[in-house]
Amino acid sequence: MEIVRNPDGSLVVPVPPTRHHDTDSEGNDVVAEGPEGTDATTRVLHPGEGGYSEALAEWDLQQNPDREPVVSTASGREQAMRIVHDVASSPDHDVAGALENAHDSQASGEALRHVLVGGTHSVEAFAIEVADAEGGEPLAAHVMTKIIGEVLAELDS
């Protein structure tokens, strides 16, 4: 089952069947999966919830599974910081407009993918880096992650 990104930024992720411990007739522990034929269930993750950044990175990889490993360049990272700042400070949250102003939106996307692959600590550090470079207060990690997801979704559309 694939991860699905909803328009509000939430992600529907598969949850494997629960495991439980049984004992056999001799009293030995036996690990068993859920009942046979049970389909995996799903869970909705919102920006800021544990596992969201990792799930977003996995969703992004699903969009283009043949993509080479992400590489972040200095210029791509600088543009990515500007794009995220522009989206965050835009009154109408204009992702497309912020991307139009980028010299190399693909390099920016790679830089943002690189941030996501690093997980929550990488997102938090990037938020501080954006605030230092562009001014203002650092965005909360869940806000930064949501904006990164919106930018990547726009790039892939």
Side-chain angles (χ1 to χ4, degrees):
M1 174 178 208
E2 291 190 352
I3 297 171
V4 176
R5 183 176 181 280
N6 294 322
D8 68 353
S10 63
L11 300 169
V12 179
V13 297
V15 176
T18 58
R19 295 172 50 145
H20 59 279
H21 292 278
D22 287 335
T23 53
D24 61 15
S25 60
E26 298 171 9
N28 298 318
D29 284 337
V30 177
V31 177
E33 298 294 328
E36 264 195 56
T38 302
D39 292 331
T41 59
T42 60
R43 176 174 181 221
V44 177
L45 291 176
H46 295 89
E49 288 187 87
Y52 181 87
S53 295
E54 294 81 359
L56 185 59
E58 191 65 33
W59 168 83
D60 183 59
L61 182 60
Q62 282 177 190
Q63 304 311 300
N64 187 351
D66 297 330
R67 181 184 300 133
E68 295 293 321
V70 295
V71 177
S72 181
T73 62
S75 63
R77 192 167 180 94
E78 287 173 12
Q79 288 180 75
M81 288 190 288
R82 194 168 310 109
I83 289 168
V84 167
H85 176 76
D86 289 352
V87 171
S89 59
S90 168
D92 58 349
H93 208 70
D94 185 17
V95 176
L99 285 170
E100 284 177 5
N101 297 327
H103 299 291
D104 185 355
S105 59
Q106 293 306 90
S108 301
E110 288 298 297
L112 293 174
R113 287 180 176 94
H114 193 263
V115 169
L116 282 181
V117 169
T120 302
H121 295 296
S122 178
V123 172
E124 292 168 341
F126 186 67
I128 293 168
E129 191 177 348
V130 170
D132 289 346
E134 301 293 328
E137 292 295 314
L139 296 172
H142 71 278
V143 174
M144 177 63 75
T145 305
K146 184 175 181 184
I147 291 173
I148 291 172
E150 291 169 349
V151 170
L152 294 177
E154 182 71 24
L155 284 172
D156 288 341
S157 64

